[in-house]
Amino acid sequence: MYSKGTKRKFYDSVDAATDNKAALYSRQRQSLLDMSLIKLQLCHMLVEPNMCRSVLIANTVRHIQEEMTHDGSWQLVTEAFGSSGPSDHLVATEVLCRSSALEQQGGGPKLYSVMGYDGCREEEVVTDEALCSVTFSGGAPSLLGTIDHCWDRAELRMAAVEDRVIKDSGSEVESGEGAKTVMGQVFGTFEIKNGAPGSDPALEELFSAVDASYYDLDTMLTSIQSTPKMGPYNLLDSMASSHGPTSNSSCRTDLSELDHIMEIIVGS
Amino acid sequence: MEAVSCRCYQFNLLLVMLFVTADIISTVEFNHSGELLATGDKGGRVVIFQQELESKNQPQCRGEYNVYSTFQSHEPEFDYLKSLEIEEKINKIRWLPQKNAAQFLLSTNDKTIKLWKISERDKRPEGYNLKEEDGRYRDPTTVTTLRVPVFQPMDLMVEASPRRVFANAHTYHINSISVNSDCETYLSADDLRINLWNLEITDRSFNIVDIKPVNMEELTEVITAAEFHPNQCNTFVYSSSKGTIRLCDMRASALCDQHSKLFEEPEDPSNRSFFSEIISSISDVKFSHSGRYMMTRDYLSVKIWDLNMESRPVETYQVHEYLRSKLCSLYENDCIFDKFECCWNGNDSVVMTGSYNNFFRMFDRGYRQDVTLEASRESSKPRSVLKPRKVCTGGKRKKDEISVDSLDFNKKILHTAWHPQDNIIAVATTNNLYIFQDKL
């Protein structure tokens, strides 16, 4: 059922007004980017995802990335993420909704959070718990909380997937590409593709870190334990600090079970 | 033919009928006479309602609709190649103009379109002398008289039978179907392609629009709706997720990738945000009955376009502008992707569309008036006039107003339909169908 969101406080912790607003804007833009990437990743359902929605979200991500590249903050993202940011990381995200957000800000806009939409069960859990209702103690751990749920979803989906006939997952895994782009992942389900030719190197870079090929968890797990990738914002890097071996091993167990079933089905 | 602006549309709408459906309603459509109203639902069922004939005893009963026929149009399927389910949800229903005693409609899910024939049977032949009492055929040599059977009345039986199945022509999800004014062809549109069919031929369709890029990762725009012109059988329009409408002439070339006209309103720079593109995505496009105008619905507004002017709409109506400051939250919970439909009244003087909290809005083009009404059981006592509603956007909330924060975003009216001649409207909430009529 519908319920109201929690009011959040806006903590003004930086002296210079314009600096604060710019920093706030870029944090909110970051949070919008995170939200969008999660939405794209959670597109994998039993029914084909809505293409219009996927395209619009992907365009939003592209737009944010272009703006971040343009104002030079793209390189600073990793550093900003590593440092302990103020607790208002995800506060007042609706400021992003306004065009001249910086001018229009009064004193602490009230965040209106609308929750509980039946049609998007997966995302409801993620956004509800991680993005809407919690005041965060620190920037980095809160986002990790988001990713935590992402992994939970992945594990649950692995279990669900075992019950299904999976014929073309083989073609996706065996296609030879290491990490497909999220775009390819989303749009690739609409037709059988044999390759994922990279078109936009910047986008590839953007998505390579957050690629979630659910049939290729091994690659992701390996990348966590290795040194963080160079380049832009990398969700997986943040996970490295919070995920111990235990959660990895449970993923691995599911994965080996899935492999076993795959062998039976594919008859290799 | 110019639309005639009638009396002031301060609607005195009464709730006439309320139907609770088993499943979520996904489409609502009146037939060309308005006598029949079809609904499709998420479970693949079609329910058709028929208007009661005017009765001299109870003249106010005109407008009452009762269930006429129910049938299962589509079943869930599984695409083994992609390991994905194909939903049986009915995305659209379109009636064919009536040619004989039977009624025909097209119904479609994501992948397959079906032509259904709905016919009545109220007589049956009786009086054969060829069978025994128990049903066995008599020995022909014992039959010595010729008896012509006579048609006897029987209880009305309404039969729905599938006459054509148009399958395997769409890789992507079908969002629109539209019957041509020539009554021989129709179009079906999915996210990236539009196909032209002949109603008689199921194993062949012509692709007339294809916006699929060679590399799918370059995809930035999809088709959201398409419709044939009501009078010109060579003209159709399709809308996109970037807020553009393209008008195409099928006489120009076989593949109508080159539009004849492109309708696009320049973006207002003061309203620019990360959500600008999403809210500009057009969820529905409908020609006026006259064919002179078309209406588009995007997330926050309804726009009326003159087909002779591509640069900007002639009229713009704000449906729920108070949501503009909530776009981020609406993006979070996916409500920003809701696809609202819109419709014209019979003489193109009023347009209607749905909103949240079970509100729907009507805009009178002539008198420049608009009204917000609610389809809910609490506020719709049978035979009592609907009260206009108001959303309070800030400051002090007056009595009877509802504040933006109290709106229920789970209660959305996506589908509405207007009787082609009378002031009778059908409004679908999640699984309730409301039929309102103007007080006589």
Side-chain angles (χ1 to χ4, degrees):
Chain A
M1 282 304 287
Y2 160 79
S3 60
K4 278 194 190 176
T6 321
K7 271 193 191 184
R8 285 179 231 177
K9 302 278 191 299
F10 173 58
Y11 297 105
D12 193 328
S13 58
V14 180
D15 288 334
T18 44
D19 277 353
N20 179 50
K21 283 174 181 171
L24 180 68
Y25 176 79
S26 80
R27 271 194 298 276
Q28 287 148 1
R29 181 177 59 187
Q30 185 64 55
S31 118
L32 182 64
L33 177 65
D34 300 338
M35 199 196 309
S36 305
L37 291 172
I38 290 165
K39 278 182 182 296
L40 280 177
Q41 291 193 35
L42 292 175
C43 276
H44 296 277
M45 296 179 280
L46 296 170
V47 184
E48 274 178 310
N50 186 320
M51 183 182 266
C52 181
R53 177 181 171 274
S54 304
V55 166
L56 290 172
I57 297 171
N59 289 353
T60 306
V61 169
R62 208 182 268 117
H63 182 192
I64 295 173
Q65 188 234 351
E66 277 165 14
E67 195 183 280
M68 288 173 90
T69 308
H70 188 257
D71 65 16
S73 54
W74 191 244
Q75 302 306 322
L76 302 170
V77 168
T78 333
E79 297 152 41
F81 196 81
S83 67
S84 54
S87 59
D88 55 350
H89 179 94
L90 293 167
V91 160
T93 51
E94 67 170 335
V95 174
L96 279 171
C97 310
R98 297 180 223 146
S99 54
S100 38
L102 306 180
E103 290 95 290
Q104 284 177 20
Q105 241 186 65
K110 181 177 79 170
L111 180 70
Y112 169 66
S113 183
V114 181
M115 305 193 235
Y117 181 45
D118 282 339
C120 305
R121 289 181 297 277
E122 310 272 358
E123 290 152 47
E124 181 190 331
V125 177
V126 176
T127 55
D128 199 6
E129 296 179 30
L131 294 174
C132 291
S133 60
V134 183
T135 51
F136 302 101
S137 52
S142 58
L143 196 57
L144 295 178
T146 305
I147 310 306
D148 227 357
H149 288 285
C150 213
W151 278 104
D152 288 344
R153 296 283 138 238
E155 282 178 30
L156 285 173
R157 194 169 295 105
M158 294 293 275
V161 147
E162 285 165 19
D163 296 331
R164 304 254 154 200
V165 175
I166 314 152
K167 290 206 175 124
D168 77 324
S169 64
S171 71
E172 282 192 290
V173 173
E174 292 156 7
S175 65
E177 307 292 316
K180 277 195 179 179
T181 62
V182 172
M183 307 282 220
Q185 194 77 34
V186 170
F187 303 130
T189 56
F190 290 98
E191 50 186 6
I192 309 293
K193 280 171 60 174
N194 291 324
S199 57
D200 185 343
L203 273 174
E204 288 253 21
E205 232 183 337
L206 169 68
F207 291 127
S208 62
V210 301
D211 167 54
S213 169
Y214 290 120
Y215 308 114
D216 203 12
L217 272 178
D218 231 356
T219 314
M220 291 183 80
L221 294 167
T222 315
S223 67
I224 293 170
Q225 288 158 353
S226 64
T227 53
K229 289 183 188 170
M230 305 305 286
Y233 174 75
N234 189 340
L235 279 176
L236 294 181
D237 281 345
S238 53
M239 297 169 66
S241 52
S242 81
H243 274 273
T246 45
S247 49
N248 289 348
S249 61
S250 64
C251 284
R252 287 183 181 276
T253 314
D254 291 334
L255 188 59
S256 58
E257 272 179 42
L258 182 63
D259 276 346
H260 177 63
I261 289 167
M262 277 296 303
E263 281 170 15
I264 296 167
I265 291 165
V266 173
S268 55
Chain B
M1 214 190 320
E2 194 52 69
V4 178
S5 209
C6 293
R7 63 188 168 95
C8 172
Y9 273 103
Q10 286 294 334
F11 275 107
N12 292 314
L13 281 175
L14 321 173
L15 173 64
V16 173
M17 300 298 285
L18 167 57
F19 296 97
V20 182
T21 58
D23 221 327
I24 297 171
I25 299 170
S26 51
T27 185
V28 182
E29 185 82 357
F30 279 99
N31 76 336
H32 294 268
S33 68
E35 185 205 353
L36 298 177
L37 174 67
T39 62
D41 69 21
K42 197 159 159 275
R45 265 177 309 273
V46 171
V47 180
I48 301 177
F49 301 88
Q50 184 190 41
Q51 189 176 27
E52 291 301 310
L53 295 171
E54 241 177 271
S55 147
K56 291 199 176 63
N57 298 330
Q58 291 173 302
Q60 68 270 21
C61 280
R62 183 188 71 82
E64 272 200 19
Y65 284 78
N66 293 310
V67 178
Y68 177 66
S69 172
T70 303
F71 57 93
Q72 186 75 32
S73 172
H74 287 71
E75 298 278 357
E77 289 172 50
F78 195 79
D79 182 342
Y80 291 97
L81 207 54
K82 298 184 199 170
S83 300
L84 292 165
E85 285 181 6
I86 299 171
E87 282 188 310
E88 66 275 30
K89 173 168 75 87
I90 308 295
N91 292 338
K92 283 283 165 15
I93 290 174
R94 290 287 182 264
W95 290 91
L96 268 58
Q98 191 173 10
K99 293 235 178 92
N100 51 38
Q103 300 278 355
F104 288 86
L105 61 80
L106 287 170
S107 72
T108 185
N109 69 346
D110 284 340
K111 298 283 185 180
T112 305
I113 308 129
K114 294 188 185 180
L115 176 69
W116 287 88
K117 176 180 177 183
I118 297 105
S119 48
E120 290 184 3
R121 193 194 294 267
D122 62 354
K123 291 183 262 293
R124 69 163 163 249
E126 281 178 25
Y128 290 99
N129 64 340
L130 300 173
K131 289 184 186 174
E132 303 285 2
E133 296 276 335
D134 58 7
R136 283 179 307 145
Y137 277 101
R138 285 168 60 180
D139 181 0
T141 56
T142 65
V143 178
T144 54
T145 60
L146 178 71
R147 190 163 345 146
V148 177
V150 177
F151 273 94
Q152 299 288 346
M154 59 178 254
D155 288 340
L156 179 66
M157 203 165 72
V158 182
E159 299 167 324
S161 58
R163 305 303 286 181
R164 305 274 187 279
V165 178
F166 305 90
N168 302 320
H170 285 280
T171 307
Y172 309 102
H173 289 181
I174 298 172
N175 53 55
S176 312
I177 47 175
S178 179
V179 183
N180 202 345
S181 51
D182 66 9
C183 298
E184 288 181 7
T185 58
Y186 75 96
L187 63 77
S188 58
D190 66 30
D191 295 309
L192 298 179
R193 298 194 178 104
I194 302 180
N195 293 333
L196 180 71
W197 301 83
N198 183 302
L199 283 162
E200 299 293 332
I201 299 167
T202 60
D203 59 357
R204 226 179 316 148
S205 77
F206 294 96
N207 176 241
I208 53 177
V209 172
D210 189 341
I211 65 167
K212 177 178 179 292
V214 170
N215 181 3
M216 278 297 274
E217 283 166 20
E218 287 164 4
L219 180 65
T220 57
E221 190 174 12
V222 299
I223 296 170
T224 52
E227 193 177 61
F228 265 120
H229 191 276
N231 309 320
Q232 297 164 20
C233 58
N234 53 283
T235 306
F236 66 94
V237 292
Y238 68 94
S239 59
S240 83
S241 57
K242 286 198 170 169
T244 64
I245 309 102
R246 287 172 173 81
L247 185 141
C248 301
D249 187 332
M250 294 196 293
R251 296 170 302 189
S253 68
L255 191 60
C256 298
D257 278 1
Q258 298 298 318
H259 54 261
S260 299
K261 294 193 184 184
L262 174 67
F263 298 83
E264 188 174 13
E265 185 172 24
E267 195 183 358
D268 177 6
S270 67
N271 269 336
R272 197 152 167 30
S273 76
F274 284 117
F275 305 105
S276 293
E277 186 186 314
I278 299 177
I279 62 168
S280 75
S281 173
I282 292 172
S283 52
D284 195 15
V285 64
K286 291 265 171 48
F287 279 105
S288 63
H289 292 91
S290 63
R292 164 94 190 267
Y293 300 95
M294 67 178 174
M295 164 168 54
T296 58
R297 175 71 156 97
D298 51 72
Y299 191 61
L300 297 180
S301 67
V302 160
K303 294 179 181 173
I304 313 279
W305 303 79
D306 185 321
L307 293 189
N308 299 317
M309 188 166 78
E310 300 164 63
S311 54
R312 64 178 186 282
V314 289
E315 294 155 39
T316 302
Y317 301 104
Q318 301 302 331
V319 181
H320 36 220
E321 181 68 13
Y322 47 79
L323 296 184
R324 193 180 287 275
S325 58
K326 314 290 182 197
L327 290 179
C328 198
S329 307
L330 295 165
Y331 179 72
E332 259 184 75
N333 68 2
D334 267 16
C335 280
I336 208 174
F337 301 109
D338 285 335
K339 294 195 188 305
F340 292 94
E341 291 173 10
C342 53
C343 60
W344 299 84
N345 76 333
N347 62 11
D348 299 335
S349 59
V350 184
V351 297
M352 170 167 69
T353 189
S355 178
Y356 293 104
N357 208 70
N358 282 345
F359 287 169
F360 58 100
R361 302 264 281 139
M362 286 185 182
F363 303 93
D364 186 323
R365 302 173 59 210
Y367 287 91
R368 294 280 163 179
Q369 290 175 340
D370 62 88
V371 68
T372 305
L373 300 167
E374 184 179 359
S376 77
R377 299 205 217 179
E378 294 76 37
S379 62
S380 312
K381 305 283 181 302
R383 306 293 161 191
S384 70
V385 175
L386 275 185
K387 209 174 57 171
R389 309 285 291 161
K390 193 144 164 55
V391 176
C392 160
T393 52
K396 287 185 75 70
R397 185 177 74 88
K398 299 195 185 74
K399 178 175 171 287
D400 284 348
E401 282 186 359
I402 181 163
S403 77
V404 182
D405 298 331
S406 307
L407 295 174
D408 188 342
F409 288 81
N410 288 327
K411 295 184 178 170
K412 53 194 86 177
I413 291 177
L414 303 174
H415 312 288
T416 57
W418 205 308
H419 190 285
Q421 277 115 34
D422 301 331
N423 284 337
I424 301 173
I425 59 173
V427 173
T429 62
T430 310
N431 62 346
N432 289 347
L433 178 72
Y434 291 79
I435 301 177
F436 298 102
Q437 80 172 34
D438 210 7
K439 187 173 179 169
L440 292 169

